[in-house]
Amino acid sequence: MKFSVACIFLLVSCFAVAQPNAAVRPKIGVTLSGGGAKGLAHIGILKAIDSAGLNIDYITGTSMGSIIGSLYAVGYSADSIEKIARVIDWDLLLSNQSSLRSIFMEEKDEYSKYVIELPWVNHRFRLPSGVLQGQELWLKFSELFFPVYNQKDFSRFSVPFRCIGTDVGTGEAVVMQEGEIISAIRSSMAIPSVFTAVDFNGRKLIDGGLVRNFPVKDVKEMGADFVIGSNVATGLMPSEKVRNALQILLQVAFFREAEDNKKEVAQCDIYVPFKMEKYSMGSFGDSKELMELGLEEGRKLYPRFKHIADSLNAIYGPQPPRPDRLPQVHGVVISSYEVHGVERTSAEFFIHTMNFETNKFYTARILANMVRQAYGTRYYSRVTYSLVPQPDGTSRIIFDVTEYPLTFAKLGLHYNRFTGVGLIANLTARNFFLTNSRSLVSVNIGETFRIRGEHLQYLGRLKNVAAILETQYDNFDIGTYTESKQDGLYNLNFFKFGGKVQFSAKRTFTIGGGGRFEWVKYSPKISTELEFKGSKKFFTPFVYMNHNSLDKNIYPKRGIKLDVEAGWVAPQNSRVRFYENGLEVPPELIPISDKSFYRTSVNLESYTPLSKRSTFLFNVQGGANFNYGDNVLNEFVIGGLTKTFRNQITFAGLPEGAEYSSSALAVQGGLRVQAFNNTYLIGRANVLVNNFVKETGYLTTRDFFSGYSVTFAYNFALGPLEISAMYCDQTRKIQSYVNLGIPF
């Protein structure tokens, strides 16, 4: 209390000496340091300032401090900023991924599937840069700062604002006070080797924390007489804690800033240091704890802030309450546009993928979703926009586009007990044969050999019609089981070639139809008492419907995925022989039918968040062959925890190939709990009903199964690692199951 009184007395005295005839209220400035995730603690200080009724006249910030500070400057209250920070998906914002919901239906299965993606640039494959484009971060900023889209002078915000960047060419501090606010704060937080540099007003800028992480000097230059400084930076790390190349790079980069920080601290009237040694710049998984630290510190400071506010009001009179500081802008009419950066595609293609039209009313959310639509084509690595007010009250929108290279080589790794170890290599090229197309070849090299090719051609103005040609060949071994004990082994060869046309009404739904030719061949490798050998060829016209509203491919938190197909298997060409104890059974004793039959299949996955760390899982898989009695080689194959091959129905409790059925329905429920970052515990229970249409003439299968599994999962650089134990009530066997990576 004494300190606050002394500060006010000194402030008023100094001001009176400087201007003896003027009763001008002293100006209060706030400076917020950089510090990555730790900067979330600044919110607690601003909340205390708001609660005390202390009006801020100027604000400066660097990096995360520039984000929090700019939101406050344009008119968001500290309480609103806290609510925003608590609901943000930091994992999504601080990645090079977008929500799966924004990706074209045709692209979803391949999205984020591979561990390594190498672009073809300047006649060679280039190693990935590892830096973040921050597409979702740009879009989130675009929504938050939409109310001030027409204000390019930061001094005209509700609270005048400046932030700091570093010129990558000269190493000089750049004080940003006019231009595009989104570009300014994105520049200020562009940590080298983490985020890409940003072009701002003709200069290429990176994180301002390299030269001035705590810009007290700048808030005083704006006119602040009294400065409150909140500093979450912990300074340089002790040498014994610098253990890797990135830490060394950051340590060297911040040498200069460490010296500058000493000068800046000395200029604060109230200095708020935070002790956060156990947190790092990337501790966004601890965002709740970091905000609580700030709120706790704010509660301690509240009496001082309140005393300052009351003292100023007593001396200069109470200030009138501020009106709603955030401008109310619901949307704009866009009358024209520009597209910068398109070379491999065209402005027309870009505009059409968004279904953008001029002279229409657009809100921030609509524009963000339209940008996501363009990004979802996978032609663009970053899409940003700015709005320029026009004399007639409309706006001109300027899109800045960064295109992906047209060709990528991709690598993944997969292992489970069924397929063994496999390296998955993929080559994807766009516009290779025709414009607006994607062609790919994927091959699984290892204990199992698989290869797949696909050509996808987008059609129509909105690119929501696609024609697809696809082919695949598989060669792997599959076991046969008696009472869950493996007693035989078959080599399976499978080939298909087909085409289809589909219409996607939106990014989550598509319908289509097509036809495919298939060839299946089984050859025994480990003989059993009764076995078969042979092949079938057949053609299947089909129709299908797909819905996918999952938020991501790996461990989604919410959404539904539904795949339904109905087809007619035309008369077949069979060459199948049965053997008993090594001797061929006469064909007339076990006749094989080649007649046609109808076939349906369904797969439903549902994910419902129960809390921030728990998700309810629900899955229905099924299929039925109608009029199938004397057919063979087209049964549904039951077992395993990972969907890997044709006609498979996964079931917790049985290994792959444990049962075969011409009609089966499996229903599964489960709970996934995130124990730690990237670490999960998953429990599942399921039931299986077989033979509800007609039992096949050659295979005997129980009508009912029930089973369970418990899984420890860790999602790391090579993909998800899952170690499971599963149990089936009917076989009374406990079995282990290991899966690494995403299957072919």
Short mmCIF file of all heavy atoms in Angstrom, two decimals, residues 7-33:
data_model
loop_
_atom_site.label_atom_id
_atom_site.label_comp_id
_atom_site.label_asym_id
_atom_site.label_seq_id
_atom_site.Cartn_x
_atom_site.Cartn_y
_atom_site.Cartn_z
N CYS A 7 4.12 5.80 -5.30
CA CYS A 7 4.14 5.88 -6.77
C CYS A 7 3.21 6.98 -7.26
O CYS A 7 3.56 7.77 -8.14
CB CYS A 7 3.70 4.53 -7.36
SG CYS A 7 4.95 3.24 -7.22
N ILE A 8 2.00 7.04 -6.68
CA ILE A 8 1.04 8.05 -7.11
C ILE A 8 1.56 9.45 -6.77
O ILE A 8 1.49 10.39 -7.57
CB ILE A 8 -0.33 7.82 -6.44
CG1 ILE A 8 -0.94 6.51 -6.98
CG2 ILE A 8 -1.27 8.98 -6.69
CD1 ILE A 8 -1.26 6.55 -8.44
N PHE A 9 2.10 9.57 -5.57
CA PHE A 9 2.63 10.89 -5.16
C PHE A 9 3.74 11.33 -6.09
O PHE A 9 3.78 12.47 -6.55
CB PHE A 9 3.14 10.80 -3.72
CG PHE A 9 3.73 12.09 -3.23
CD1 PHE A 9 2.93 13.16 -2.83
CD2 PHE A 9 5.11 12.26 -3.18
CE1 PHE A 9 3.47 14.35 -2.40
CE2 PHE A 9 5.66 13.46 -2.75
CZ PHE A 9 4.84 14.51 -2.35
N LEU A 10 4.67 10.40 -6.38
CA LEU A 10 5.78 10.73 -7.27
C LEU A 10 5.28 11.06 -8.67
O LEU A 10 5.73 12.02 -9.30
CB LEU A 10 6.76 9.55 -7.32
CG LEU A 10 7.98 9.72 -8.23
CD1 LEU A 10 8.85 10.89 -7.72
CD2 LEU A 10 8.81 8.43 -8.27
N LEU A 11 4.32 10.28 -9.14
CA LEU A 11 3.77 10.49 -10.47
C LEU A 11 3.12 11.87 -10.58
O LEU A 11 3.38 12.64 -11.50
CB LEU A 11 2.75 9.39 -10.78
CG LEU A 11 1.93 9.52 -12.07
CD1 LEU A 11 2.85 9.47 -13.28
CD2 LEU A 11 0.89 8.41 -12.14
N VAL A 12 2.26 12.18 -9.60
CA VAL A 12 1.55 13.45 -9.64
C VAL A 12 2.51 14.62 -9.48
O VAL A 12 2.42 15.64 -10.17
CB VAL A 12 0.46 13.48 -8.54
CG1 VAL A 12 -0.19 14.86 -8.46
CG2 VAL A 12 -0.59 12.41 -8.83
N SER A 13 3.49 14.46 -8.59
CA SER A 13 4.46 15.53 -8.35
C SER A 13 5.26 15.84 -9.60
O SER A 13 5.43 16.99 -9.99
CB SER A 13 5.40 15.15 -7.20
OG SER A 13 4.67 14.96 -6.01
N CYS A 14 5.78 14.77 -10.22
CA CYS A 14 6.58 14.95 -11.43
C CYS A 14 5.77 15.60 -12.53
O CYS A 14 6.24 16.48 -13.26
CB CYS A 14 7.14 13.61 -11.90
SG CYS A 14 8.38 12.91 -10.77
N PHE A 15 4.52 15.16 -12.64
CA PHE A 15 3.69 15.70 -13.70
C PHE A 15 3.35 17.17 -13.45
O PHE A 15 3.32 17.99 -14.36
CB PHE A 15 2.41 14.87 -13.82
CG PHE A 15 1.80 14.96 -15.18
CD1 PHE A 15 2.31 14.22 -16.24
CD2 PHE A 15 0.71 15.79 -15.41
CE1 PHE A 15 1.74 14.30 -17.49
CE2 PHE A 15 0.15 15.87 -16.67
CZ PHE A 15 0.67 15.13 -17.71
N ALA A 16 3.14 17.48 -12.17
CA ALA A 16 2.83 18.88 -11.82
C ALA A 16 4.00 19.79 -12.07
O ALA A 16 3.85 20.94 -12.50
CB ALA A 16 2.40 18.96 -10.35
N VAL A 17 5.24 19.29 -11.80
CA VAL A 17 6.44 20.08 -12.06
C VAL A 17 6.58 20.34 -13.55
O VAL A 17 6.92 21.44 -14.00
CB VAL A 17 7.69 19.36 -11.51
CG1 VAL A 17 8.95 20.04 -12.02
CG2 VAL A 17 7.65 19.36 -9.99
N ALA A 18 6.31 19.30 -14.35
CA ALA A 18 6.46 19.44 -15.80
C ALA A 18 5.40 20.39 -16.37
O ALA A 18 5.67 21.15 -17.29
CB ALA A 18 6.37 18.08 -16.47
N GLN A 19 4.16 20.35 -15.80
CA GLN A 19 3.09 21.17 -16.33
C GLN A 19 2.34 21.81 -15.15
O GLN A 19 1.26 21.36 -14.77
CB GLN A 19 2.13 20.33 -17.18
CG GLN A 19 2.86 19.65 -18.36
CD GLN A 19 1.88 18.94 -19.27
OE1 GLN A 19 0.81 19.47 -19.56
NE2 GLN A 19 2.26 17.77 -19.73
N PRO A 20 2.89 22.82 -14.55
CA PRO A 20 2.34 23.37 -13.31
C PRO A 20 0.95 23.95 -13.46
O PRO A 20 0.21 24.03 -12.49
CB PRO A 20 3.37 24.43 -12.92
CG PRO A 20 4.07 24.79 -14.20
CD PRO A 20 4.11 23.56 -15.00
N ASN A 21 0.58 24.38 -14.62
CA ASN A 21 -0.72 25.02 -14.80
C ASN A 21 -1.76 24.08 -15.39
O ASN A 21 -2.85 24.50 -15.74
CB ASN A 21 -0.57 26.25 -15.71
CG ASN A 21 0.35 27.28 -15.08
OD1 ASN A 21 0.29 27.53 -13.88
ND2 ASN A 21 1.21 27.88 -15.91
N ALA A 22 -1.40 22.85 -15.53
CA ALA A 22 -2.32 21.92 -16.20
C ALA A 22 -2.72 20.80 -15.26
O ALA A 22 -1.88 20.22 -14.60
CB ALA A 22 -1.66 21.33 -17.46
N ALA A 23 -4.01 20.56 -15.18
CA ALA A 23 -4.52 19.44 -14.37
C ALA A 23 -4.86 18.30 -15.32
O ALA A 23 -6.02 17.99 -15.55
CB ALA A 23 -5.73 19.88 -13.57
N VAL A 24 -3.84 17.77 -15.92
CA VAL A 24 -4.03 16.69 -16.90
C VAL A 24 -3.80 15.36 -16.21
O VAL A 24 -2.79 15.17 -15.53
CB VAL A 24 -3.06 16.85 -18.09
CG1 VAL A 24 -3.25 15.70 -19.07
CG2 VAL A 24 -3.29 18.19 -18.76
N ARG A 25 -4.73 14.45 -16.40
CA ARG A 25 -4.65 13.13 -15.76
C ARG A 25 -3.44 12.38 -16.32
O ARG A 25 -3.24 12.32 -17.53
CB ARG A 25 -5.92 12.36 -16.05
CG ARG A 25 -6.08 11.07 -15.24
CD ARG A 25 -7.36 10.34 -15.66
NE ARG A 25 -7.63 9.23 -14.78
CZ ARG A 25 -8.44 9.27 -13.73
NH1 ARG A 25 -9.05 10.40 -13.43
NH2 ARG A 25 -8.64 8.20 -12.98
N PRO A 26 -2.59 11.81 -15.44
CA PRO A 26 -1.44 11.03 -15.93
C PRO A 26 -1.89 9.84 -16.77
O PRO A 26 -2.97 9.27 -16.56
CB PRO A 26 -0.77 10.56 -14.63
CG PRO A 26 -1.25 11.50 -13.58
CD PRO A 26 -2.63 11.90 -13.98
N LYS A 27 -1.07 9.48 -17.74
CA LYS A 27 -1.38 8.38 -18.65
C LYS A 27 -0.79 7.07 -18.11
O LYS A 27 0.37 7.02 -17.71
CB LYS A 27 -0.80 8.67 -20.04
CG LYS A 27 -1.33 9.97 -20.66
CD LYS A 27 -2.83 9.92 -20.90
CE LYS A 27 -3.32 11.17 -21.62
NZ LYS A 27 -4.80 11.13 -21.82
N ILE A 28 -1.60 6.04 -18.16
CA ILE A 28 -1.20 4.72 -17.67
C ILE A 28 -0.87 3.83 -18.85
O ILE A 28 -1.67 3.69 -19.79
CB ILE A 28 -2.31 4.07 -16.83
CG1 ILE A 28 -2.79 5.00 -15.72
CG2 ILE A 28 -1.83 2.74 -16.25
CD1 ILE A 28 -1.74 5.34 -14.70
N GLY A 29 0.29 3.22 -18.83
CA GLY A 29 0.70 2.30 -19.88
C GLY A 29 0.89 0.90 -19.34
O GLY A 29 1.23 0.71 -18.17
N VAL A 30 0.66 -0.10 -20.19
CA VAL A 30 0.86 -1.51 -19.83
C VAL A 30 1.76 -2.14 -20.89
O VAL A 30 1.58 -1.92 -22.09
CB VAL A 30 -0.47 -2.28 -19.75
CG1 VAL A 30 -0.23 -3.78 -19.66
CG2 VAL A 30 -1.28 -1.82 -18.54
N THR A 31 2.75 -2.90 -20.43
CA THR A 31 3.63 -3.64 -21.33
C THR A 31 3.57 -5.12 -20.99
O THR A 31 3.69 -5.50 -19.82
CB THR A 31 5.08 -3.15 -21.21
OG1 THR A 31 5.16 -1.80 -21.70
CG2 THR A 31 6.02 -4.02 -22.03
N LEU A 32 3.37 -5.95 -22.02
CA LEU A 32 3.27 -7.40 -21.85
C LEU A 32 4.41 -8.07 -22.62
O LEU A 32 4.56 -7.85 -23.83
CB LEU A 32 1.92 -7.91 -22.37
CG LEU A 32 0.67 -7.20 -21.81
CD1 LEU A 32 -0.59 -7.78 -22.45
CD2 LEU A 32 0.61 -7.31 -20.29
N SER A 33 5.18 -8.88 -21.94
CA SER A 33 6.34 -9.50 -22.57
C SER A 33 5.94 -10.69 -23.44
O SER A 33 4.82 -11.21 -23.36
CB SER A 33 7.31 -10.00 -21.49
OG SER A 33 6.81 -11.20 -20.91
#
